[in-house]
Amino acid sequence: MKQTVLQETFPVYVLEIDREETPLDSVDAVCGYFRACIEAHPSAVFIAEFDHLRHTRSLPDGRIGEGIRAARNLVFCFGITLPNPQSLAMRPRSIGIAETDDGFVITFIESPMPVANAAMEDWAMRLPQSEAAPA
């Protein structure tokens, strides 16, 4: 097996939203918002929702940071191109949604596809104004 470097770094986008900044009041509601965004996108496909908090709690040595009430990952793929087998290592995409004592923390790793980054950034930035689903 050989090791290669496809990207020098993986920048992480982080958006922290206080509870009073959004009408969405739970991790379920925020996940529903993002799932609707994914399903409305012409090139994206929803794959799964992973309850990271539940998984970590189930581990004998699992540790959870103070103030984290819920932690989920929505897994999806844009799948616009498949230039080579190595690109599979960077897929699918994931948006992390953590519910904390203060609000929500939304995270995702920068994609090498500008269209994917633009969509994920737009979804995240519209979250505070969202009632439930994307426009």
Side-chain angles (χ1 to χ4, degrees):
M1 178 178 279
K2 65 180 177 180
Q3 181 182 24
T4 62
V5 176
L6 295 178
Q7 300 284 321
E8 287 186 41
T9 61
F10 290 102
V12 176
Y13 288 72
V14 178
L15 176 64
E16 295 183 22
I17 301 170
D18 290 337
R19 290 196 183 280
E20 61 272 2
E21 292 181 283
T22 180
L24 303 179
D25 62 355
S26 69
V27 72
D28 289 327
V30 176
C31 286
Y33 164 80
F34 278 111
R35 184 166 180 170
C37 290
I38 294 163
E39 291 174 346
H41 194 278
S43 302
V45 63
F46 178 79
I47 298 168
E49 182 174 321
F50 174 65
D51 189 331
H52 205 309
L53 185 73
R54 184 176 61 182
H55 167 71
T56 304
R57 280 188 177 147
S58 74
L59 299 173
D61 295 327
R63 287 183 251 175
I64 298 164
E66 188 175 328
I68 297 175
R69 295 181 179 181
R72 307 245 183 98
N73 287 89
L74 293 183
V75 183
F76 59 100
C77 190
F78 285 97
I80 297 168
T81 64
L82 187 58
N84 55 55
Q86 293 81 1
S87 64
L88 291 170
M90 296 182 290
R91 299 190 182 154
R93 301 274 94 205
S94 172
I95 291 180
I97 300 121
E99 184 174 354
T100 66
D101 292 340
D102 299 325
F104 303 96
V105 181
I106 311 304
T107 57
F108 61 89
I109 291 178
E110 181 178 65
S111 169
M113 282 189 337
V115 68
N117 280 327
M120 293 184 293
E121 199 169 352
D122 179 59
W123 299 342
M125 295 306 289
R126 285 190 293 122
L127 178 64
Q129 292 82 40
S130 173
E131 289 297 325

